[in-house]
């Protein structure tokens, strides 16, 4: 038995801002019969994650590509792996049965043939929508939780700044910080996003960075007592401005630097005198580093969501064909919350 | 009874590289009779420390000046405080008697009137030359020890890079790292310094950065297996090159950024993708942060010096008049090891 598997590929490496013309939708015949000794599992993809870091994998070269397996280079023409949720169609692995829900490394496509040893886990939806397991319970949630609690080491009352605060990770960081009773300010790229942060997510303040002529002054205005923790999703001038406004022993967690992904010339040059004299720590991290706190993250996040103390903000598009524009939109600030593509009905 | 107290002052703020014309030698009459209710102590200065950070205090403004009391702005025309060793001439404080040796916050001058509450401790020379108590046992030594062990968290076998490696702090970091059985490479600005590092101090390798056209390639050559720890004394392009060559979970301790003190346009813009994907930590620190490990630092350093495992490299000039040129020389790379001025014979 065979199916047509529609999937997204890049036509060639992408070294600037991604555009529709960089992508193609390919179709392959996929056999649903596995060899008798195969340890593969065939998954029907349901929801897949759309993340900015994929752009670094699409470049001709990036220092990120050698650092960790899931950041490895994407080959033009081939399927692109991504975190997602799906349902088992065929399995020769005893732990996975037909129709099981799973979460793991799928593809930007309709089906995934998951090899033995690749990330795949049975999924208990815990009463939540499946899309939540790509977003708030997926690596975006873990990055927010681990990056904030493990890297930023926040205390109640800390003054916390989050950039790209309406994005997939930023909005959760701000909400976790509020739950810890921090003073939280977010930056975002539109008045609609600013309104979401202040009115729906309970941020103490927020500003539209596109309307600010001087980011240092904007942060000075929002943080008259200085910044203790900066959760950085953007890099560039915002990182410089945050460092200038940080307090003694301030902590900066570098989750991503989206302003630098499409334009390497926007690299941040923070004032090193501030870093020395204010004893600032700047630390990069990846969500995968925090598997040791996953159980803690999951139980707390489930409880917060059930109690209505945390909101899962999602931006869902439909169909494999929507993946390129969903991805491109990340770099234009089109998404509000976690960008997800629904590939098929449950 | 009065003495003439000769001391160094700046004529006005210094906002670029320091020059002789920025300084003046002043003379004041100093009474050696304290008021009956005074809690002051009058010290005859013997050895005083010459440190690059003083330049940030001499600027019209610097973010460093507000961060910590000893980095506060220096007022033109007034005496400049510095760490040093001296002898008590007059004291109304019971813990200090005439002729006691002391170490603490003195001045770039012949005498210091130390106010109550200012840093001053009785000094036991422990059989070492007094100058050692300004250098290897002073804040330079503590910065090297604390910055390396507490901030860099090194393990035996780690690949350690030290810039300004023949300087007051760098040479000690390299020696501590060798004692921990790390692989240690230093950069310096002359063949003479490179020779000192390799032949006298036991560095595994060293290079003259002035002879390298590409610092990234130089570090790649010296660290084919990458850098685990970078102890940064210079900032700028060297920091960028080190980050590019760092291993996963690499640690960068920012002790100083001398290349940026005289020219703010040389600010480092390290590749943030490296910081994220390699999960690099960059941390600023000050020696004063490590008072909690002072006893440990002192006992180990005494033992290493007594056993000949550690060498105290000093560059001593004579007389208050030599202070301006000694200080200016720091920014030209004139000093080898800790720069100290001997103000008076013991």
């Amino acid at each position: 038995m065979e199916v047509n598997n529609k999937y997204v590929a890049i036509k060639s490496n992408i070294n600037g801002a991604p555009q529709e013309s960089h992508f193609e939708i390919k179709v392959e015949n996929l056999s649903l019969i596995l060899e008798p000794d195969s340890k593969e599992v065939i998954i029907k993809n349901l929801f897949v994650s759309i993340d900015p870091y994929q752009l670094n994998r699409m470049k001709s070269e990036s220092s990120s590509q050698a650092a960790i397996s899931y950041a490895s280079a994407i080959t033009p023409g081939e399927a692109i792996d991504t975190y997602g949720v799906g349902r088992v169609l065929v399995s020769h692995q005893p732990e996975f049965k037909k129709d099981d829900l799973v979460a793991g490394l799928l593809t930007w496509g309709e089906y995934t043939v998951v090899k033995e040893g690749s990330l795949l886990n049975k999924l208990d939806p815990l009463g939540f929508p499946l899309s939540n397991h790509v977003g708030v319970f997926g690596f975006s949630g873990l990055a927010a939780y681990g990056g904030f609690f493990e890297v930023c080491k926040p205390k109640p009352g800390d003054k916390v700044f989050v950039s790209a605060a309406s994005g997939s990770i930023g909005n959760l960081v701000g909400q976790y910080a509020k739950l810890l009773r921090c003073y939280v300010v977010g930056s975002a790229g539109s008045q609609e996003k600013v309104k979401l942060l202040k009115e729906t997510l309970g941020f103490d303040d927020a500003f539209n960075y596109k309307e600010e002529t001087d980011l240092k002054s904007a942060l000075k205005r929002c943080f008259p007592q200085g910044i203790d923790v900066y959760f950085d999703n953007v890099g560039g001038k915002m990182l410089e401005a945050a460092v200038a406004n940080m307090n003694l022993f301030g902590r900066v967690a570098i989750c991503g630097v989206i302003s630098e992904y499409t334009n390497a010339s926007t690299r941040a040059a923070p004032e090193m005198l501030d870093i020395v004299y204010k004893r600032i720590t700047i630390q990069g991290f990846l969500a995968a580093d925090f598997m040791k706190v996953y159980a803690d993250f999951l139980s707390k996040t489930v409880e917060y969501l059930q109690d209505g103390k945390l909101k899962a903000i999602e931006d869902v598009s439909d169909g494999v064909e929507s993946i390129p524009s969903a991805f491109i939109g990340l770099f234009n600030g089109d998404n509000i919350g976690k960008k997800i593509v629904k590939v098929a009905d449950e």
Side-chain angles (χ1 to χ4, degrees), chain A residues 70 138-144 146-147 169 255 285-292:
Chain A
Y70 76 73
F139 281 102
S140 297
L142 186 60
I169 299 173
C255 178
F285 69 92
L286 297 174
D289 299 339
F290 303 120
M291 292 313 295
K292 62 184 185 297

Side-chain angles (χ1 to χ4, degrees), chain A residues 144-165:
Chain A
Y145 186 90
F148 182 58
F149 290 104
E150 299 290 309
V151 176
C152 297
K153 297 182 177 64
K155 298 178 299 296
D158 271 357
K159 316 292 181 291
V160 175
F161 174 51
V162 187
S163 56

Side-chain angles (χ1 to χ4, degrees), chain A residues 315-329:
Chain A
D315 189 333
V316 182
S317 307
D318 275 311
V320 164
E321 291 82 354
S322 74
I323 290 175
S325 63
F327 178 66
I328 292 160

